[in-house]
Amino acid sequence: FTSWGRETAKKYTAEQIRSILEELDSGEYGIVLRAKGILECADGGWIHFDMVPEEYDVREGGAAIIGKLCVIGSQLDEKAIAGLFGV
C-alpha cells in the first residue's frame, strides 16, 4: 500500500468533493482503499470527507489551518490524483 497526501489552500464546494470521490472510486486512479480530508469551503467554513470503496461521507466540520488530503491504496496514480484535486 502507498499513501498520497497534500496540503492545500484551494477552496472547494461540497459538490466538487462528491464528484472527486466518485471519480476516485472508479478504479482509474488505482485501488483506493481510503481517502479523507479537511478542505476549506468556497462559500465559507470547512468540508470534512471520508471515503472507502463504494461509500463516502461529505459534511461540514471544524476549521483547520490549511486544507489536508490523504489517499491510501495500491497502484495509485499520484499525478492523476493531484490533477483530480487540482493541487
Side-chain angles (χ1 to χ4, degrees), residues 10 31 40 53 56 58-59 63 65 82:
K10 184 174 177 172
I31 302 167
E40 192 168 358
Y56 64 84
V58 178
R59 62 200 177 281
I65 294 171

Side-chain angles (χ1 to χ4, degrees), residues 59-78:
R59 62 200 177 281
E60 291 183 23
I65 294 171
I66 191 162
K68 297 179 182 182
L69 301 163
C70 180
V71 178
I72 301 166
S74 177
Q75 303 169 357
L76 297 178
D77 185 341
E78 295 182 12

Side-chain angles (χ1 to χ4, degrees), residues 7-20:
E7 290 185 340
T8 181
K10 184 174 177 172
K11 297 179 181 183
Y12 300 83
T13 65
E15 194 54 44
Q16 285 175 308
I17 297 303
R18 286 184 189 94
S19 178
I20 289 169

Side-chain angles (χ1 to χ4, degrees), residues 1-2 24-25 30-35 51-53 71-74 76:
F1 296 106
T2 59
L24 276 178
D25 203 25
I31 302 167
V32 177
L33 300 175
R34 176 128 163 77
M51 182 214 147
V52 294
V71 178
I72 301 166
S74 177
L76 297 178

Side-chain angles (χ1 to χ4, degrees), residues 32-59:
V32 177
L33 300 175
R34 176 128 163 77
K36 60 183 179 175
I38 300 171
L39 300 167
E40 192 168 358
C41 187
D43 46 345
W46 289 80
I47 300 169
H48 293 227
F49 71 86
D50 292 286
M51 182 214 147
V52 294
E54 299 181 22
E55 185 179 335
Y56 64 84
D57 179 43
V58 178
R59 62 200 177 281

